[in-house]
Amino acid sequence: MLLYIFVLFDTEKRAGRRSIFFRAAKQNQVTLKNRMEGDLHTLKGLAVSLGAMDPVGKEEINRIITDINEENKFMKIGFADNADWMGSNPDDDYYSVPVRNREDQPLGLLYATNPDDILRNMIDETVLSGVLVTEILDQNGMVVAGNAGTKDQEKVREVISKGSQLPFPMDSQGNRQQMAVLIPLEINNWYVLSVFPQSGKRDRHIETGIGALILLSSGLFLYFFCRQYKSINENQEALLELANRDSLTGCRNFPAFKKEAERVIREENILSYAVWYCDIKKFKFINDILGYEEGDRILSSIADLFRDYGEEEALFCRVSADNFAGLHKYETREEMRSWFHNLVEFFQSRELPSYKTITIELCMGVYCMEENDRDLSIERIVNRANIAQKHVKSQPGNQFGFYNKEIRNKVVYESELESEIDRAIRNREFKPFIQPKISIQKGNRIAGGEVLVRWENPRKGTIPPGLFIPLMERDGKIVKLDRYMFEVACQWLNSYLKTGREPVNLAVNVSKIGMLRDDFVDFYGRVKEKYQIPDGLLELEFTETVMLNDDAVFSSLVSRLHKKGFVCSLDDFGSGYSSLNLLKNLPIDVLKLDIMFFRKSTDIKRERIVISNIINMAKELQIRTIAEGVEYVETVDFLTSAGCDVIQGYVFAKPMPIEAFDEMLLKKKGEALIPEDIRV
């Protein structure tokens, strides 16, 4: 290589200084071009990798770019989404590359955030200070980057217009004449201007210096070529790794999992494998309460759990959000079940923060593979495990279940309901029903009612709340329903009061998610004021499970509601394990005894002793009592003698449309209702 360069230098020397100038300038241009093409190659490689990961959101792309920027020392990368990049032309900027998905649709634009620094560093590293001056010019002769200002811009524009690449004299700073060569960079319509000092007395020294410069430029070219080649290979390996990894948890992403799982299914005994699908119950609720940073930390802990507790080289991935999937080798189904429960125990024993207000629970569905599953796609197999997971998710605690056809049919039906919920809210398909509450200490007269909801689906008919409420709690839509039903109740009560009739109390249910929203008290107070509802007529019912484990939080909430004129009641009393503790600590106004107390038992005497003492204890705490779910006349007589204030149940009236409740109030004004046993 050195022999070739010396021969080349000798040839150029004989041909004259003008040829030497051109050769040095050309070498400079080649070095800069190769450096830039290497950077472009890096951007294009990353753009292709991101496009192959589609669907991928802007947040995920920015996460990947942040990881790359921590390692990449010479170029920092940014991303603009479609809204920004559709209005620009990526050809206008060398350091920008479009990102396109698999359908060749634009997702956005990758660009270097420090192009000026990059160009200046390239020029400074390429040229020999004091011997050669280099600038990058645009097609109008304006300086894009360089280490000296060009004085004779008119001369430069003239050379560009002629398309000449011959050396030409050009005046520089201090009016010293120098020789210049202008060569197209062959990137982005830019030019490389190389300027050489010239003096008649020192021609021989200049030739020697230029020869040395050629040697140096050749060496620099080889150095930068090798460095860029190594950098490109390292970047490609890093991009491949990033394309296969979840940027948050470090485990496989779904595309990488599918590829490896397909190999296992193809090459090994498929009957010994099961596919599992796991997520964290009410993870959206966890994010809302603890914050997204803590939510991300929990996700990383779950990934570590599967990595540490699985088999060696455990095959699993993060599908999306809080959803994980994996392939597990097993011998019996009972072994799979034990594996999950041990997994949960191991997770709970880890040194995670002690959450006072939240319990983190896992839910897993499993599909045991069969021989004919070899022809199925991994997506379909994972979906079956997901179906099993959805089926058991609504059950309390950590849950585990196997896929079967009955589960599939149920989940498909629930999925259909979920897909229709938003439309149903918009179309007002959720109808208010009211179950009357009867004051048994005041002559069995109507004291008010509890607002309930029924879904009148145009295709499926009336859907009971037991089917759609758990679905809405699961995805957070219950808050929207809570607020809709509360406003409907306020609208009716406002119209009712304007007729001048005797005021009645209306109770509405509040979900856990809704209660913990920052604007909960403000929203309910604002709607109450909007419809001019007097204090004491609106009752908010909280279930025992809503109380969480922090009495102080709920006590503060109740105090704020009292100031806005709300009555607060504790519903389903007795269904949990901490009822008496809640009753002792919380400033509630009404206690609703759960229906479980009024089921026929083998020892009615003991049952009634418990109920009588609860009612008496509530009276001493100045808390009114309501018994719900009452079905028999004899129960009414007992509760009357025990001092219970109000009864709600089929023995007096079933839930009815709000219009029927209005009519009942009109007809039964001041009249006593006669209890009747329910008919089977």
Side-chain angles (χ1 to χ4, degrees):
M1 180 67 183
L2 290 176
L3 178 61
Y4 167 77
I5 293 173
F6 277 115
V7 172
L8 176 64
F9 172 69
D10 185 64
T11 303
E12 294 296 335
K13 182 177 179 181
R14 289 195 302 269
R17 292 193 307 274
R18 297 173 74 88
S19 179
I20 293 174
F21 291 146
F22 177 81
R23 177 63 65 181
K26 183 63 178 177
Q27 185 69 55
N28 202 32
Q29 181 257 2
V30 169
T31 303
L32 286 172
K33 178 184 175 184
N34 278 279
R35 282 291 311 278
M36 292 181 183
E37 286 180 340
D39 288 353
L40 261 177
H41 188 84
T42 299
L43 278 179
K44 288 179 179 177
L46 179 57
V48 170
S49 296
L50 292 175
M53 293 172 61
D54 180 54
V56 62
K58 181 178 181 180
E59 182 179 346
E60 183 71 11
I61 290 177
N62 284 327
R63 234 177 226 173
I64 292 172
I65 290 173
T66 299
D67 292 342
I68 293 175
N69 283 336
E70 290 178 357
E71 301 295 330
N72 198 351
K73 303 302 182 185
F74 65 91
M75 178 170 63
K76 303 304 177 185
I77 301 170
F79 176 75
D81 60 17
N82 277 333
D84 296 327
W85 111 263
M86 289 298 287
S88 64
N89 182 359
D91 293 333
D92 291 342
D93 187 356
Y94 159 68
Y95 285 97
S96 61
V97 176
V99 181
R100 298 181 180 275
N101 61 19
R102 296 171 184 173
E103 286 72 40
D104 200 35
Q105 297 171 331
L107 298 176
L109 189 73
L110 281 182
Y111 59 91
T113 61
N114 58 337
D116 293 339
D117 294 340
I118 298 172
L119 291 174
R120 281 195 298 270
N121 289 339
M122 283 184 185
I123 292 171
D124 292 343
E125 293 174 356
T126 302
V127 303
L128 184 63
S129 177
V131 177
L132 180 66
V133 172
T134 301
E135 292 176 344
I136 297 176
L137 310 177
D138 64 17
Q139 56 190 350
N140 297 317
M142 302 302 293
V143 177
V144 175
N147 50 17
T150 300
K151 180 179 180 182
D152 199 350
Q153 290 185 336
E154 289 297 328
K155 184 69 173 179
V156 169
R157 281 193 285 268
E158 179 185 346
V159 174
I160 290 175
S161 65
K162 291 180 179 179
S164 172
Q165 297 184 22
L166 295 175
F168 60 93
M170 183 178 72
D171 292 337
S172 67
Q173 300 292 345
N175 294 321
R176 288 190 308 161
Q177 191 174 70
Q178 299 175 335
M179 291 300 294
V181 181
L182 192 65
I183 301 177
L185 182 58
E186 299 178 2
I187 290 178
N188 212 40
N189 294 323
W190 287 350
Y191 291 84
V192 178
L193 177 67
S194 302
V195 182
F196 303 87
Q198 179 171 281
S199 172
K201 296 180 180 180
R202 302 175 60 190
D203 284 350
R204 187 180 301 275
H205 297 291
I206 292 173
E207 291 175 6
T208 303
I210 292 175
L213 177 62
I214 293 174
L215 285 172
L216 180 60
S217 296
S218 298
L220 285 172
F221 171 75
L222 288 174
Y223 167 73
F224 285 122
F225 177 80
C226 293
R227 195 184 82 166
Q228 195 66 42
Y229 181 78
K230 180 181 178 182
S231 176
I232 289 171
N233 285 339
E234 290 175 350
N235 282 337
Q236 286 178 332
E237 291 175 3
L239 290 174
L240 183 61
E241 177 69 13
L242 286 169
N244 290 327
R245 293 287 166 186
D246 174 60
S247 60
L248 174 63
T249 64
C251 67
R252 286 182 179 87
N253 57 25
F254 193 44
F257 169 77
K258 288 192 296 182
K259 183 178 180 180
E260 184 62 18
E262 286 170 353
R263 183 196 64 76
V264 172
I265 292 173
R266 184 173 60 251
E267 298 176 1
E268 301 188 24
N269 178 17
I270 192 173
L271 298 178
S272 63
Y273 282 95
V275 172
W276 55 265
Y277 194 100
C278 183
D279 79 353
I280 303 170
K281 297 177 74 172
K282 298 181 180 178
F283 187 69
K284 185 179 184 300
F285 173 63
I286 291 174
N287 272 336
D288 289 342
I289 300 303
L290 301 180
Y292 286 91
E293 183 176 346
E294 184 62 18
D296 287 347
R297 197 199 63 76
I298 292 173
L299 291 177
S300 295
S301 295
I302 295 293
D304 291 341
L305 174 71
F306 291 129
R307 184 182 297 111
D308 298 342
Y309 196 73
E311 314 94 351
E312 187 176 354
E313 298 297 324
L315 182 56
F316 73 96
C317 71
R318 179 184 175 213
V319 180
S320 62
D322 62 317
N323 304 307
F324 293 82
L327 201 60
H328 184 82
K329 198 168 187 177
Y330 76 107
E331 292 184 3
T332 66
R333 292 195 171 200
E334 189 56 37
E335 178 192 332
M336 279 290 302
R337 192 182 298 275
S338 297
W339 173 73
F340 171 73
H341 290 302
N342 290 336
L343 194 77
V344 170
E345 185 177 343
F346 187 55
F347 174 64
Q348 293 175 342
S349 67
R350 286 203 165 190
E351 295 181 3
L352 296 174
S354 177
Y355 301 118
K356 294 183 178 180
T357 59
I358 267 183
T359 300
I360 300 176
E361 297 174 338
L362 303 181
C363 183
M364 179 179 286
V366 175
Y367 176 72
C368 297
M369 300 184 68
E370 302 175 358
E371 186 61 40
N372 56 7
D373 291 333
R374 291 187 190 275
D375 297 329
L376 293 180
S377 67
I378 290 297
E379 285 92 341
R380 291 186 63 184
I381 295 173
V382 170
N383 187 53
R384 292 181 180 181
N386 188 20
I387 286 175
Q389 179 264 145
K390 287 183 176 180
H391 176 69
V392 298
K393 189 172 183 178
S394 59
Q395 301 172 21
N398 297 284
Q399 289 298 328
F400 176 91
F402 290 98
Y403 172 89
N404 58 48
K405 290 184 178 179
E406 289 74 19
I407 286 178
R408 178 188 179 280
N409 293 338
K410 183 176 185 296
V411 172
V412 167
Y413 178 75
E414 290 179 349
S415 296
E416 291 177 357
L417 292 184
E418 283 183 297
S419 67
E420 297 181 23
I421 285 175
D422 287 330
R423 174 193 54 77
I425 292 176
R426 289 195 304 271
N427 295 343
R428 297 180 176 270
E429 294 175 13
F430 292 100
K431 304 298 182 182
F433 274 54
I434 296 181
Q435 185 171 29
K437 295 191 293 186
I438 311 302
S439 177
I440 57 175
Q441 302 298 335
K442 295 182 179 180
N444 292 354
R445 289 178 173 81
I446 300 174
E450 179 182 0
V451 181
L452 305 171
V453 61
R454 300 291 184 269
W455 183 357
E456 299 296 340
N457 188 294
R459 294 190 303 108
K460 297 180 174 66
T462 301
I463 302 173
L467 286 180
F468 63 83
I469 293 294
L471 300 180
M472 300 183 78
E473 288 179 334
R474 193 160 68 196
D475 59 14
K477 293 177 182 175
I478 191 66
V479 177
K480 187 181 294 185
L481 181 63
D482 279 351
R483 297 187 174 192
Y484 168 73
M485 294 304 299
F486 177 70
E487 185 147 8
V488 168
C490 289
Q491 288 174 348
W492 177 83
L493 190 53
N494 173 269
S495 300
Y496 171 83
L497 292 172
K498 285 181 178 179
T499 63
R501 288 187 278 175
E502 184 179 353
V504 294
N505 167 279
L506 281 187
V508 294
N509 291 280
V510 177
S511 66
K512 179 189 293 186
I513 299 175
M515 185 195 77
L516 293 173
R517 289 291 178 91
D518 291 338
D519 65 339
F520 170 68
V521 175
D522 291 337
F523 173 83
Y524 280 76
R526 188 167 59 250
V527 174
K528 175 178 174 290
E529 292 176 6
K530 174 182 175 182
Y531 292 99
Q532 301 176 334
I533 308 299
D535 292 351
L537 295 187
L538 287 172
E539 179 180 324
L540 301 182
E541 291 190 3
F542 304 93
T543 61
E544 186 175 334
T545 56
V546 167
M547 303 303 105
L548 308 176
N549 299 321
D550 193 340
D551 299 341
V553 172
F554 187 71
S555 295
S556 173
L557 189 69
V558 170
S559 297
R560 292 173 61 198
L561 291 170
H562 281 160
K563 291 178 181 178
K564 290 187 177 292
F566 287 99
V567 176
C568 298
S569 67
L570 181 59
D571 196 7
D572 296 336
F573 182 80
S575 61
Y577 300 102
S578 56
S579 300
L580 292 178
N581 188 51
L582 290 171
L583 196 60
K584 173 175 67 74
N585 295 329
L586 300 179
I588 57 172
D589 307 296
V590 180
L591 185 68
K592 295 191 72 173
L593 304 181
D594 188 82
I595 189 175
M596 64 179 293
F597 286 118
F598 310 108
R599 294 172 182 163
K600 294 290 185 179
S601 66
T602 56
D603 194 336
I604 296 178
K605 182 178 179 181
R606 293 175 66 89
E607 173 188 289
R608 291 186 173 180
I609 289 173
V610 172
I611 295 171
S612 296
N613 279 280
I614 290 175
I615 293 173
N616 185 59
M617 179 174 56
K619 281 186 176 298
E620 290 188 9
L621 293 171
Q622 297 183 332
I623 298 174
R624 299 193 302 276
T625 52
I626 297 177
E628 59 179 344
V630 180
E631 299 176 343
Y632 303 101
V633 174
E634 62 180 281
T635 308
V636 175
D637 295 337
F638 159 68
L639 290 169
T640 303
S641 62
C644 182
D645 296 297
V646 174
I647 279 180
Q648 179 182 334
Y650 280 24
V651 69
F652 282 111
K654 297 179 181 180
M656 60 190 69
I658 198 167
E659 297 81 9
F661 178 69
D662 190 298
E663 185 177 349
M664 182 180 184
L665 287 173
L666 192 61
K667 288 183 177 180
K668 299 293 183 179
K669 180 180 179 181
E671 293 184 16
L673 272 65
I674 300 174
E676 296 182 9
D677 285 356
I678 62 169
R679 298 293 182 260
V680 180

